[in-house]
Amino acid sequence: MLTEPPGPQHEWLDDAAGPVVRPYTLTGGRVRSAADGFDLVAFVLAGPAAGTTDTPLPPEHRRLVELAYRPVPVAELAVELDLAVGVVRVLLGDLLARGLVAVHEPPAAAPLPDDDILKAVVSGLRAL
């Protein structure tokens, strides 16, 4: 008994998920964004110009802007869009270049104390 629908079957169609698009097609083949790499915990926030853009945005860009109306980390955006973080970083670079989002990087971690200082503290505690 034939259970498949008649007609040609394409490998880029998935009955359960719908059309499947390779990640490199979303980024135009780019693997790095125009901006520097975004930290996974950097917060993205839609800018005031996000709602007033005259040029239509591709669906993935539009969805990123919609999600960024509240501060959201880069990692969470990747999860929400079900895309690789590298792809999301490239798309965010596009939006950042157009002034549609702002990216707020976390503060740099404080340098660890020198080993000599730690040894002195341990010695002082033992002396107590």
Side-chain angles (χ1 to χ4, degrees):
M1 190 177 260
L2 184 63
T3 58
E4 292 184 31
Q9 293 296 313
H10 300 285
E11 63 186 47
W12 60 85
L13 293 178
D14 182 341
D15 291 334
V20 178
V21 178
R22 299 280 184 217
Y24 59 82
T25 59
L26 298 175
T27 63
R30 298 170 294 150
V31 293
R32 294 199 193 331
S33 71
D36 290 332
F38 303 109
D39 195 299
L40 286 175
V41 295
F43 279 92
V44 179
L45 186 61
T52 61
T53 182
D54 293 334
T55 57
L57 294 172
E60 292 77 19
H61 288 89
R62 191 171 45 248
R63 183 76 176 123
L64 280 170
V65 170
E66 289 170 2
L67 290 170
Y69 277 113
R70 63 170 180 82
V72 59
V74 172
E76 189 175 323
L77 289 171
V79 170
E80 288 289 329
L81 269 71
D82 194 25
L83 292 173
V85 173
V87 172
V88 171
R89 285 177 172 156
V90 172
L91 298 177
L92 285 174
D94 297 344
L95 293 171
L96 185 64
R98 293 178 66 178
L100 299 177
V101 297
V103 178
H104 304 281
E105 295 286 341
L112 295 174
D114 189 2
D115 286 344
D116 294 332
I117 293 173
L118 293 174
K119 289 177 184 176
V121 169
V122 169
S123 296
L125 289 173
R126 286 186 180 150
L128 293 175

